[in-house]
Amino acid sequence: MLYDPSAFEQKWRDIWEEKGLHHAVKNDKRPKYYCLDMFPYPSGEGLHVGHWRGYVLSDVVSRYMTLNGYQVLHPMGWDAFGLPAENAAIKKKIHPVDQTLAATTNMRRQLKDMGSMYDWEREVNSSTPEYYKWTQWTFLKAYELGLAYKKDSPINWCPSCATGLADEEVKDGRCERCDSVVTKKNLSQWFFAISKYAQRLIDDIKDLDWPEKVKKMQTDWIGRSEGAKVTFKLEGCEDTLEIFTTRPDTLYGVSYMVLAPEHELVAKLTSDAQREEVEKYVAYASTKSAVERQERREKTGVFTGAYALNPVNGQKVPIWIADYVLMDYGTGAIMAVPAHDERDWEFAKAFNLPIRQVVMSAAQAEALRKDGIDFSDSQAVDKAWQEKFGAEPYEEAYCEYGVMVNSQEFSGCKTEEGKKAVIAKLEKAGIGKAVVNYRLRDWLISRQRYWGAPIPMVYCDKCGIVPVPEDQLPVLLPHVKSYEPSGTGASPLAAIDSFVNTACPKCGAPAKRDTDTLSQWICSSWYYLRYASYDCKDKAWRREDIDYWNPVDLYVGGIEHAVLHLLYSRFYTKMFYDLGLVGFKEPFKRLFNQGMITRMANSGRLEKMSKSKGNSVNPDDLVKKYGTDALRSYLLFIGPPEMDAEWNDSGIEGVYRWLRRVWTLVTEGEITEGAEKDGEVLKVSHKYIKRVNEDLSRLHLNTMVASLMEWANFLIGRKAPVSRETVEQYLIMLAPVAPHMAEELWAFLGHKEGLFESRPAWPQHEEKHLHEDDFNLVVQINGKVRENVRVSKALSKEELEEVIKARPKIAAALEGKTLRKVVYVPGKLMNLVVG
RNA sequence: GGGCGGGUGGCGGAAUCGGUAGACGCGUUGGUCUUAGGAGCCAAUGAUUAAGUUCGUAAGGGUUCGAGCCCCUUCCCGCCCACCA
């Protein structure tokens, strides 16, 4: 029979849909498995084969789990709000609602063509009022918990997207979406206090079954560092200056201070003589974007004319301003220790500031120890160090740990211990304390764009900021013709009077709505909960639904979300946990990041597949030519799923041929009824059953397909009848990869009920079939393979030695040599070491 | 500059533990079938050699009976972070 996938693939998709096989229902007799794909944004360009890679992987797992008796939830939906969708709509001059509808219609059709077992009844679309009503509700919950606050501050501003951005959305000083250089803008904006959760986000990630790379990226992004806050007195001024340092042990080496140009004390401190120069520098620094800052590595800065006093030795040190100190990290001010910090070193060199060494290297300490210096006598240490090393030229900053020197009573103390000792001294004096500082900053969630969920807040002259009561949700996004961003920092919604003007929910007086919309990252921070309780009308979710389905067992998606979506979702889950709304602290138990599909682009380089780069491959054409099963198989076979893989147009031919050969074997070969009786077939089949199961459990789906190919090659190559049992085992294991063909052949074998409907037992290998009396002994001489000998497993090492020594080839090699050693790896290899 | 991955035939990639390097597939070559073949089927396919052999996992060194795998040095590619005090 001819292998013609177009003749049956659609038929089976219709049958699965008709019978509701993909609809996940709670079933307490079966264990549940929640397999989730990161939902895509509805792009007018549709899906290319790069998108399919992750979806095929999650579908194979879902189908595998289904056939293994699990109740599987495998949903799909649309991350429809947000910049990409809105920009696409603007470009096409259509309304985002229409653009979304057109794109989802096309993409849903494409996803159905994949044969994925998505439960379409649970489909969500984040841009529908039914969904964003609850997105707004999550904002109110955050507000209720004190996690949402409004702040007037300089924010990341993308001039091209005309909206504020969260720190996570800025990459290399550029907008993550459009690559424009990000600037700063002063706006009053809503933030989520994600930094309050910094420690919990670090602690709980450790136990997750996630790629170490992602865990590390996220942990580094949160950026915990331990150190001290130290208060410096200022000369001739009542104010004090607070700094953060991770090296309190170098406090005696401070030779100047630096404030960020934006620091609030700058104006106050600056002397009249320096004022003009300082103001010029502040103005200059404010115009520089993050990108420009990176381009110029030479240090710049200006002396303020003011001095601070070192709290431990009273030394007078000059205060400078420089843009290498960042306003939004630590306290926006540092103590500079050029001898032991590279950046301070460069600055001190550039401006000829003093450099004082207060840490000696481990080598220097060792030399002093050899001289018999008593490290508990700090004066002796200072004296000895001065005599031996004091005159040594100092070529660069010494940033390692070592032993303190020139540090009064701390000299001779190891720096690790010195940290604690210095902090203790500062604490006692009330001018410092140990603190933990995080790099993670609060999450900016206001967007000055139209296509998002309106922030459910009202401003009343009398009552101030008033949250919209839950029963008045959703705050509907008005349907308007003109929605382009204003670019001024005001949201397009601000120009719509009927939207802006409302009554205060508290006092009823005329009031105004917040006109910004919520970042689309909020929509995707809770959708995995909505899938579990998709039909709940009066709440975001029913507790019993999420108690059954959540957390997600396997989450599949791209690594680009390592510190965006995945961080936000974890934060949101912890917030819900604190509110008692969910019973778990982490949303995704296991994470899998599929690699990109690359292909030669217009640029002449291998690049990630995308329509704009001119290197995308449309799955629709391939489905037409080879069928869905072949495309699915090729996307698995192309390489290790977690690694990038290069698309090869002729690669799909290979898997297509394999499927066709299997098809021919079943439809044209002779199949004997009943169990497998041929010992050779049993042995080989069970070897492959074992291999396929191992590959599946480790998600090595490329070698899983290779194993299935080898198994088929064996069965076909025998040119002998195959038993029904073996064929059925093969089809069941093929089913997750090529479900349509597996079903069609299952029916061909006479089954009345479909394969996925009846869920036949998943094959497990039996050790007894794998047992062999003989094995291939690899014979090596001095580590080089000389021969392969078929021998009995019953033979001892000594007996085997006799056997191989009798082989002419080996005997010849041993002739005239002394046998020094025999290494035997039982059941595998024997190495004769001769000299 | 820092961190994390990688580097294996003409190509994509195999190789659970340190034990036959190159599975599987593409491509190529030859054969077969055919009116035809850009279909199918069969066979060969790391380099070298007439063969035995020898050489081969980015380069160099080390540990080991034995190294793609472990250790050291260097080079190249990718990703992430980047003046984070």
Side-chain angles (χ1 to χ4, degrees):
Chain A
M1 214 190 288
L2 195 72
Y3 176 53
D4 176 16
S6 66
F8 58 80
E9 286 189 343
Q10 186 58 51
K11 176 184 84 184
W12 283 105
R13 290 196 285 269
D14 293 342
I15 292 172
W16 295 327
E17 193 168 327
E18 213 173 280
K19 302 207 168 178
L21 293 186
H22 302 334
H23 181 51
V25 286
K26 283 196 237 172
N27 181 333
D28 294 329
K29 288 194 194 102
R30 293 179 190 273
K32 70 94 187 179
Y33 193 80
Y34 189 172
C35 182
L36 182 64
D37 289 297
M38 292 181 185
F39 65 166
Y41 79 88
S43 154
E45 321 218 303
L47 300 171
H48 56 67
V49 296
H51 298 112
W52 273 43
R53 195 180 191 197
Y55 301 146
V56 167
L57 181 126
S58 68
D59 193 58
V60 168
V61 173
S62 296
R63 288 183 179 273
Y64 167 68
M65 294 308 280
T66 300
L67 291 175
N68 274 276
Y70 285 82
Q71 199 63 11
V72 174
L73 173 56
H74 187 37
M76 186 39 89
W78 314 106
D79 191 10
F81 264 151
L83 280 174
E86 185 177 336
N87 287 341
I90 290 171
K91 214 169 145 192
K92 286 192 199 156
K93 296 192 167 45
I94 57 173
H95 195 275
V97 168
D98 303 321
Q99 132 79 19
T100 299
L101 180 68
T104 54
T105 305
N106 180 44
M107 287 172 75
R108 189 185 303 106
R109 196 259 318 151
Q110 284 188 305
L111 288 167
K112 286 189 174 181
D113 283 355
M114 271 179 55
S116 283
M117 47 174 284
Y118 291 122
D119 180 357
W120 288 104
E121 280 187 49
R122 293 175 186 262
E123 177 179 353
V124 300
N125 177 333
S126 63
S127 69
T128 57
E130 301 81 61
Y131 185 91
Y132 72 70
K133 170 179 182 176
W134 302 113
T135 302
Q136 291 171 338
W137 171 84
T138 65
F139 175 88
L140 295 178
K141 287 286 150 187
Y143 186 75
E144 187 184 308
L145 205 56
L147 291 175
Y149 66 91
K150 202 164 194 201
K151 188 170 75 173
D152 202 347
S153 72
I155 55 152
N156 303 310
W157 178 261
C158 173
S160 163
C161 296
T163 185
L165 298 174
D167 286 304
E168 289 80 12
E169 292 174 293
V170 182
K171 270 190 175 11
D172 291 335
R174 292 169 181 277
C175 173
E176 191 239 351
R177 290 277 173 207
C178 71
D179 218 33
S180 306
V181 173
V182 170
T183 60
K184 293 275 172 190
K185 196 180 185 85
N186 270 302
L187 279 180
S188 180
Q189 302 266 287
W190 283 99
F191 288 83
F192 275 164
I194 191 171
S195 62
K196 279 190 184 167
Y197 284 68
Q199 192 58 49
R200 288 166 67 187
L201 288 165
I202 288 176
D203 291 342
D204 292 349
I205 206 169
K206 293 185 185 116
D207 300 325
L208 295 177
D209 185 8
W210 284 22
E212 287 305 319
K213 188 184 177 182
V214 175
K215 291 200 209 180
K216 195 172 184 311
M217 277 170 73
Q218 207 170 106
T219 305
D220 288 353
W221 182 260
I222 298 167
R224 179 191 160 102
S225 64
E226 287 175 28
K229 262 190 187 165
V230 186
T231 307
F232 280 66
K233 280 195 177 130
L234 302 175
E235 195 197 40
C237 173
E238 283 307 300
D239 282 302
T240 56
L241 178 59
E242 200 169 52
I243 59 96
F244 172 72
T245 177
T246 55
R247 293 294 301 272
D249 52 306
T250 62
L251 190 51
Y252 290 86
V254 173
S255 56
Y256 63 100
M257 314 288 288
V258 188
L259 303 185
E262 305 87 358
H263 198 281
E264 53 176 9
L265 281 178
V266 170
K268 209 165 181 181
L269 285 179
T270 303
S271 69
D272 291 338
Q274 294 299 106
R275 191 161 303 277
E276 195 184 331
E277 211 182 333
V278 166
E279 280 171 359
K280 223 168 90 188
Y281 186 79
V282 170
Y284 150 83
S286 70
T287 61
K288 281 209 297 179
S289 68
V291 172
E292 288 167 313
R293 271 192 170 189
Q294 281 167 35
E295 279 164 1
R296 10 174 66 238
R297 294 209 65 88
E298 351 52 277
K299 296 279 181 288
T300 60
V302 176
F303 177 46
T304 61
Y307 291 87
L309 301 170
N310 189 326
V312 282
N313 58 15
Q315 211 162 37
K316 188 173 137 182
V317 290
I319 303 174
W320 287 62
I321 63 169
D323 64 359
Y324 83 90
V325 173
L326 309 173
M327 189 55 223
D328 43 16
Y329 185 78
T331 63
I334 62 156
M335 62 179 217
V337 186
H340 306 293
D341 182 280
E342 256 177 65
R343 297 149 299 177
D344 297 345
W345 170 274
E346 283 170 24
F347 193 82
K349 281 284 169 190
F351 293 96
N352 213 12
L353 290 156
I355 295 170
R356 292 191 198 105
Q357 191 173 356
V358 291
V359 176
M360 67 174 102
S361 67
Q364 290 179 336
E366 190 50 40
L368 292 190
R369 195 167 283 120
K370 274 196 185 134
D371 291 349
I373 304 301
D374 175 9
F375 275 62
S376 63
D377 179 349
S378 44
Q379 281 183 6
V381 169
D382 285 347
K383 187 160 171 275
W385 183 85
Q386 189 58 43
E387 279 166 7
K388 204 171 175 92
F389 302 107
E392 261 189 24
Y394 201 49
E395 301 295 341
E396 56 182 3
Y398 179 76
C399 306
E400 316 289 306
Y401 284 146
V403 174
M404 292 171 72
V405 70
N406 294 329
S407 300
Q408 294 177 351
E409 73 268 31
F410 300 103
S411 292
C413 185
K414 279 190 181 166
T415 45
E416 294 94 315
E417 289 146 28
K419 279 187 180 186
K420 290 174 204 153
V422 171
I423 290 171
K425 178 175 170 149
L426 295 171
E427 271 175 353
K428 212 167 164 190
I431 48 170
K433 61 176 179 190
V435 294
V436 175
N437 197 59
Y438 298 92
R439 203 181 78 144
L440 182 69
R441 286 162 220 154
D442 282 348
W443 176 15
L444 171 69
I445 54 167
S446 303
R447 295 291 177 273
Q448 293 69 49
R449 295 287 295 239
Y450 167 77
W451 192 232
I455 295 177
M457 286 290 179
V458 168
Y459 302 91
C460 169
D461 285 341
K462 215 158 50 183
C463 312
I465 299 178
V466 182
V468 174
E470 193 180 319
D471 59 15
Q472 288 177 29
L473 295 181
V475 176
L476 283 172
L477 180 67
H479 193 92
V480 291
K481 278 221 172 78
S482 172
Y483 56 85
E484 280 79 359
S486 69
T488 60
S491 160
L493 294 181
I496 304 167
D497 289 344
S498 59
F499 175 81
V500 175
N501 294 312
T502 185
C504 171
K506 230 186 210 167
C507 70
K512 294 198 184 301
R513 287 195 190 280
D514 197 303
T515 54
D516 286 348
T517 51
L518 291 167
S519 160
Q520 85 274 12
W521 296 112
I522 311 249
C523 308
S524 56
S525 292
W526 72 281
Y527 77 114
Y528 47 89
L529 298 168
R530 185 64 189 173
Y531 279 139
S533 200
Y534 68 109
D535 55 351
C536 181
K537 296 272 190 290
D538 56 336
K539 284 185 289 195
W541 56 79
R542 280 183 297 263
R543 185 64 191 264
E544 66 263 31
D545 288 335
I546 60 157
D547 280 351
Y548 178 80
W549 291 112
N550 295 83
V552 171
D553 293 285
L554 177 65
Y555 197 25
V556 179
I559 194 154
E560 65 272 18
H561 292 111
V563 286
L564 281 155
H565 164 62
L566 290 170
L567 178 68
Y568 298 149
S569 298
R570 295 184 60 225
F571 162 66
Y572 241 44
T573 300
K574 289 180 194 309
M575 176 180 90
F576 293 140
Y577 178 83
D578 290 350
L579 285 160
L581 294 167
V582 303
F584 44 88
K585 296 177 184 173
E586 287 289 336
F588 316 120
K589 283 203 259 186
R590 184 180 183 189
L591 175 71
F592 189 89
N593 299 115
Q594 81 276 16
M596 299 182 301
I597 299 276
T598 60
R599 191 163 177 250
M600 199 56 74
N602 287 339
S603 61
R605 292 196 339 211
L606 267 189
E607 290 196 74
K608 177 180 177 173
M609 200 174 268
S610 87
K611 198 144 186 179
S612 60
K613 288 183 185 128
N615 63 346
S616 72
V617 173
N618 188 328
D620 299 353
D621 304 336
L622 293 167
V623 166
K624 227 173 257 164
K625 193 166 172 196
Y626 299 100
T628 297
D629 285 340
L631 179 52
R632 289 169 59 106
S633 305
Y634 179 56
L635 284 168
L636 298 170
F637 187 61
I638 193 166
E642 70 280 6
M643 301 240 271
D644 292 351
E646 189 187 338
W647 181 263
N648 179 337
D649 290 315
S650 56
I652 193 171
E653 295 273 359
V655 290
Y656 176 75
R657 284 174 200 155
W658 158 59
L659 291 175
R660 185 170 53 193
R661 272 145 43 90
V662 172
W663 175 268
T664 308
L665 172 75
V666 178
T667 60
E668 291 175 19
E670 191 185 332
I671 294 166
T672 57
E673 278 308 313
E676 185 60 62
K677 293 188 188 76
D678 187 311
E680 176 74 4
V681 176
L682 275 172
K683 194 176 81 188
V684 174
S685 291
H686 279 255
K687 180 178 91 182
Y688 286 116
I689 289 170
K690 188 177 179 194
R691 277 225 324 237
V692 169
N693 278 328
E694 282 166 355
D695 288 339
L696 267 167
S697 65
R698 288 179 300 160
L699 292 180
H700 288 192
L701 303 186
N702 54 327
T703 54
M704 176 212 177
V705 172
S707 298
L708 287 169
M709 284 175 172
E710 285 180 55
W711 189 3
N713 288 347
F714 164 77
L715 295 174
I716 293 164
R718 278 173 73 247
K719 298 195 181 5
V722 191
S723 72
R724 165 178 282 266
E725 181 188 43
T726 299
V727 171
E728 291 193 349
Q729 281 172 335
Y730 191 88
L731 292 180
I732 295 166
M733 298 194 102
L734 177 70
V737 176
H740 308 84
M741 185 171 106
E743 285 278 24
E744 184 70 10
L745 291 177
W746 190 255
F748 176 87
L749 290 178
H751 291 281
K752 294 275 174 282
E753 235 186 352
L755 199 159
F756 282 95
E757 191 179 5
S758 58
R759 301 192 190 191
W762 184 263
Q764 298 293 342
H765 76 276
E766 287 177 60
E767 283 297 335
K768 67 177 180 194
H769 296 310
L770 298 178
H771 178 79
E772 285 184 274
D773 294 328
D774 303 339
F775 72 98
N776 241 15
L777 180 69
V778 176
V779 183
Q780 294 183 337
I781 289 175
N782 287 344
K784 292 208 159 80
V785 179
R786 280 297 118 105
E787 225 181 337
N788 260 293
V789 192
R790 195 80 198 158
V791 294
S792 161
K793 273 189 178 167
L795 298 179
S796 69
K797 182 187 173 188
E798 289 70 23
E799 288 167 323
L800 284 172
E801 237 183 281
E802 291 313 309
V803 170
I804 61 173
K805 275 182 193 159
R807 310 278 301 186
K809 215 168 153 184
I810 302 300
L814 292 178
E815 184 72 41
K817 304 253 173 73
T818 323
L819 183 60
R820 297 187 193 281
K821 193 175 171 185
V822 178
V823 180
Y824 177 50
V825 183
K828 233 175 207 164
L829 163 148
M830 186 166 277
N831 188 13
L832 305 178
V833 185
V834 299

